Amino acid sequence: MSRALIVVDVQNDFCEGGSLAVSGGAAVAGRIAGLLAGDHGYDQVVATRDHHIDPGAHFSATPDYVDSWPVHCVAGTPGAELHPALAATPFDAVFDKGEYAAAYSGFEGACGGEGLAEWLADHEVESVDVVGIATDYCVRATALDAAKCGLATRVRLDLTAAVAPDRIGSTLTDLAAGGVEVTG
């Protein structure tokens, strides 16, 4: 049984100082880097990135912070890059998503034209741990899609940061209903 770690959107724009910073994002980047520096036990380690070119109504000058957001993670800018704590990490693959439309799940992304579900299947992955930013958006969506793909899925809450920590209860309910285990 092959096991993978999916590191979701730990990018400069989602960490303190970025255009759409999530409180605790930089600390999460550091904790994930610490995990990966040791004997982490994963057969595969992949990352996802928001990678916007022209995502349409996803960007707004007057964002509602539900469906529309300030400009963030524009392809080719420093904000779209992985946080410095993870920049040198030798990921097995990095999946870019959201180039021309909003995309929350890493399963909407591609690496060299291959989607995440196909890549995981090609590498005989049967279980995944999902970590990163933000617990209540892209981590949630990625974990739910992983479970829908038939993967044993776990979110390591200690390695995530939420946009709205006060609403994490509904995220945990959604994850449980989707068959996702939550630890940490």
Side-chain angles (χ1 to χ4, degrees), residues 70-151:
V71 174
H72 62 279
C73 299
V74 174
T77 68
E81 297 304 316
L82 294 173
H83 186 276
L86 296 172
T89 301
F91 289 104
D92 295 300
V94 177
F95 295 84
D96 289 332
K97 59 188 177 66
E99 291 179 342
Y100 296 100
Y104 295 93
S105 172
F107 286 84
E108 297 174 82
C111 177
E114 185 174 35
L116 181 54
E118 182 183 3
W119 192 94
L120 292 170
D122 287 348
H123 289 83
E124 301 179 355
V125 172
E126 297 178 8
S127 69
V128 296
D129 283 354
V130 183
V131 301
I133 304 170
T135 318
D136 42 345
Y137 285 91
C138 296
V139 168
R140 174 190 169 278
T142 300
L144 290 172
D145 281 352
K148 286 177 190 170
C149 287
L151 299 165

Side-chain angles (χ1 to χ4, degrees), residues 14-104:
F14 295 140
C15 294
E16 289 81 357
S19 66
L20 192 52
V22 174
S23 181
V28 163
R31 289 195 302 272
I32 294 170
L35 168 71
L36 295 176
D39 182 19
H40 51 71
Y42 295 101
D43 301 300
Q44 306 291 332
V45 179
V46 300
T48 69
R49 293 188 305 192
D50 255 13
H51 196 251
H52 300 308
I53 295 171
D54 181 8
H58 185 63
F59 285 171
S60 174
T62 56
D64 64 14
Y65 296 93
V66 176
D67 296 311
S68 62
W69 304 88
V71 174
H72 62 279
C73 299
V74 174
T77 68
E81 297 304 316
L82 294 173
H83 186 276
L86 296 172
T89 301
F91 289 104
D92 295 300
V94 177
F95 295 84
D96 289 332
K97 59 188 177 66
E99 291 179 342
Y100 296 100
Y104 295 93

